[in-house]
Amino acid sequence: MANINNNSSIENPVKFKKLTLNPKKSIWRQVKQRWQLFLLIMPAIIYIAVFHYYPMYGAQIAFRDYVVTLGIWDSPWVGLKHFERFFTSYDFWRIMRNTLGLSVYELIAGFPFPIILALSINYVRQHFFKKSVQMITYAPHFISVVVMGGMILQFLDPRSGIVNNFLTLFGFEAINFMAHPELFMSIYVWSGIWQSVGFSCIIYLAALSGIDPSLHEAAVVDGASKLQRVFHIDIPGIMPIAIILLILNTGQMLNIGFEKVLLLQNPLNVRTSEIIDTYVYKTGLVSQAGNFSYATAIGLFKSIVSLILLISVNKLAKKMNQASLW
């Protein structure tokens, strides 16, 4: 038998060329090569720069006694004067209680309904009924805020409203709903849920469609009921999306729908309907004094609180080993 040369059995190592990005490549050259992508994103960049970053320049009037004739830079610097004025004002606790109360009420009541609707639609097998439910629940989302406010006032009108006509039909007395301050939050929240629940469930339907069908098939073989499949397959499958949306909604807690609150507000329910946004509007624009600096300070305070809430909830989600924004 021929002797095998061990040296001949050693293969020469294959040399691969290392792929690296060229940091010296000019940014303008990259833009020129991929100009279609940059052109596609340019409207969004312009919008953010003009309507979100440029207004930050004017936020400094919260620390000045702003005078229109003097301009921003020439107006006297007063530091935290306007913030202290708001914190010590008579309206501070009432406005914060109304804003936080309405936000928490809306978050707790409105968060589970899109999930429930998405789970219900997902198990409907009759195609026509499924599409009909989707269309009926999505439609209110496309009604403008002004029209929605008018509809609510018409429905709840004490003389000609459909709700009071229904009550009087069964022998009850008509109720002037908008004149009862204690009913304002419920009217605002549940009308908002009716308007947005269908559109909000779209993202949960998309998440449910991404769950592996083999999990349901194996559960059916093992004899699991639909309710068991919901709790052990569907809900864990959409939980990361639900946590992300909860974090985003928490960061927007103080940004309540200003237009809708203002449309439903009247002198009889202002005790519970006055929130930060309507107070800023009345202080900065409606008031004859034109307290622009004071109104800006209140708005800046609201933004800082929203940022703190967003960071806190995101950090809490990370500690609980749940999905987070960063």
Side-chain angles (χ1 to χ4, degrees):
M1 181 181 291
N3 293 330
I4 300 174
N5 189 358
N6 294 331
N7 293 331
S8 63
S9 63
I10 301 176
E11 298 181 355
N12 293 328
V14 180
K15 296 182 179 180
F16 294 95
K17 185 178 180 180
K18 188 177 180 181
L19 298 177
T20 57
L21 297 176
N22 185 7
K24 297 181 180 180
K25 195 172 184 180
S26 173
I27 182 65
W28 296 111
R29 188 177 175 184
Q30 297 183 33
V31 172
K32 186 177 180 180
Q33 290 179 348
R34 303 175 179 85
W35 65 270
Q36 298 93 339
L37 298 177
F38 285 95
L39 184 63
L40 185 65
I41 200 175
M42 190 56 64
I45 295 176
I46 294 175
Y47 170 79
I48 293 175
V50 173
F51 294 100
H52 291 273
Y53 280 92
Y54 179 72
M56 292 183 184
Y57 165 77
Q60 61 177 300
I61 68 175
F63 306 95
R64 298 176 181 270
D65 271 334
Y66 177 66
V67 180
V68 178
T69 55
L70 296 178
I72 295 178
W73 285 105
D74 293 331
S75 297
W77 182 272
V78 294
L80 301 177
K81 169 186 172 182
H82 301 294
F83 293 92
E84 294 174 357
R85 175 187 171 188
F86 177 59
F87 297 152
T88 57
S89 67
Y90 172 79
D91 297 320
F92 174 75
W93 290 111
R94 177 175 62 91
I95 293 171
M96 291 302 299
R97 182 176 64 250
N98 294 342
T99 304
L100 292 175
L102 192 59
S103 301
V104 173
Y105 187 0
E106 186 176 30
L107 183 64
I108 294 176
F111 185 74
F113 277 93
I115 300 176
I116 296 172
L117 179 61
L119 292 171
S120 302
I121 293 176
N122 189 55
Y123 280 90
V124 173
R125 293 293 174 258
Q126 217 288 333
H127 184 74
F128 177 77
F129 179 76
K130 183 177 183 178
K131 294 299 180 183
S132 299
V133 171
Q134 288 178 325
M135 183 187 67
I136 293 172
T137 54
Y138 294 171
H141 173 78
F142 299 99
I143 301 175
S144 68
V145 178
V146 176
V147 175
M148 178 59 64
M151 290 174 58
I152 295 172
L153 294 177
Q154 289 296 323
F155 290 159
L156 301 180
D157 188 89
R159 290 177 295 180
S160 60
I162 186 173
V163 176
N164 279 302
N165 288 340
F166 184 79
L167 291 176
T168 55
L169 182 65
F170 288 91
F172 296 98
E173 293 184 0
I175 303 174
N176 189 358
F177 290 93
M178 304 311 298
H180 292 272
E182 64 276 6
L183 298 178
F184 177 82
M185 288 189 179
S186 296
I187 293 172
Y188 177 89
V189 170
W190 292 107
S191 62
I193 293 174
W194 169 71
Q195 184 180 12
S196 62
V197 64
F199 193 81
S200 299
C201 82
I202 293 177
I203 190 169
Y204 295 110
L205 287 173
L208 288 171
S209 65
I211 296 177
D212 190 355
S214 63
L215 297 175
H216 286 279
E217 294 172 359
V220 172
V221 172
D222 291 338
S225 64
K226 288 185 178 180
L227 193 60
Q228 290 174 327
R229 288 158 57 191
V230 166
F231 281 103
H232 297 285
I233 298 176
D234 292 329
I235 292 181
I238 64 175
M239 188 56 66
I241 298 296
I243 295 297
I244 292 295
L245 292 178
L246 179 62
I247 294 172
L248 293 174
N249 291 337
T250 304
Q252 297 292 322
M253 278 185 61
L254 299 184
N255 294 326
I256 306 173
F258 157 75
E259 298 88 354
K260 186 178 176 182
V261 173
L262 190 64
L263 289 168
L264 298 180
Q265 193 176 85
N266 60 54
L268 298 177
N269 62 26
V270 71
R271 177 168 57 87
T272 57
S273 63
E274 190 76 286
I275 60 175
I276 291 178
D277 288 334
T278 56
Y279 186 73
V280 169
Y281 167 72
K282 294 176 182 177
T283 303
L285 297 177
V286 177
S287 174
Q288 295 181 353
N291 297 316
F292 301 114
S293 297
Y294 183 52
T296 304
I298 300 172
L300 187 59
F301 164 74
K302 185 193 74 171
S303 300
I304 294 173
V305 173
S306 299
L307 178 62
I308 294 174
L309 287 173
L310 178 63
I311 296 174
S312 301
V313 176
N314 186 78
K315 192 171 183 180
L316 180 62
K318 290 180 66 176
K319 285 188 175 182
M320 297 175 64
N321 295 324
Q322 298 291 336
S324 58
L325 293 178
W326 65 83

